[in-house]
């Protein structure tokens, strides 16, 4: 059995980004893995209960690890 691969839903063409769009730039490798039924398609923002659409948000002057340890924040463009 081949390993499963977790991939963001917006990369697979689902319109779940903050502005209701997708990022459907499915490269040949992703398409092949999808045909092999190896992909697990997931949207962490939707899983966390965020709506679509929603205000854009960015990690401020840090990275995801800092956010997970409570050392940084994620801010919407509205402040």
């Amino acid at each position: 059995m081949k390993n499963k691969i977790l991939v963001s839903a917006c990369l697979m063409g689902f319109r779940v980004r903050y502005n209701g769009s997708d990022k459907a730039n499915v490269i040949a490798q992703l398409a092949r893995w999808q045909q092999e039924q190896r992909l697990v398609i997931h949207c962490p923002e939707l899983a966390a209960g965020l709506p679509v659409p929603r205000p854009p948000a960015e990690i401020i002057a840090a990275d995801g690890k800092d956010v997970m340890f409570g050392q940084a924040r994620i801010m919407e463009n509205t402040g």
Side-chain angles (χ1 to χ4, degrees):
M1 180 172 135
K2 294 184 179 183
N3 292 332
K4 295 286 186 177
I5 301 162
L6 183 64
V7 64
S8 178
C10 63
L11 290 176
M12 297 304 296
F14 292 88
R15 297 177 153 281
V16 295
R17 297 185 72 223
Y18 71 93
N19 60 0
S21 70
D22 62 39
K23 274 201 145 183
N25 297 331
V26 181
I27 59 171
Q29 187 66 51
L30 280 177
R32 190 176 95 218
W33 288 334
Q34 187 174 28
Q35 288 177 339
E36 294 172 358
Q37 298 181 355
R38 294 181 62 190
L39 298 182
V40 176
I41 299 171
H42 178 73
C43 177
E45 292 86 355
L46 289 182
L50 296 176
V52 176
R54 59 187 170 272
E58 299 288 338
I59 297 172
I60 305 301
D63 61 28
K65 180 180 172 187
D66 296 322
V67 173
M68 295 301 291
F69 285 109
Q71 299 169 344
R73 298 181 343 159
I74 300 171
M75 299 251 328
E76 292 179 347
N77 69 343
T78 59

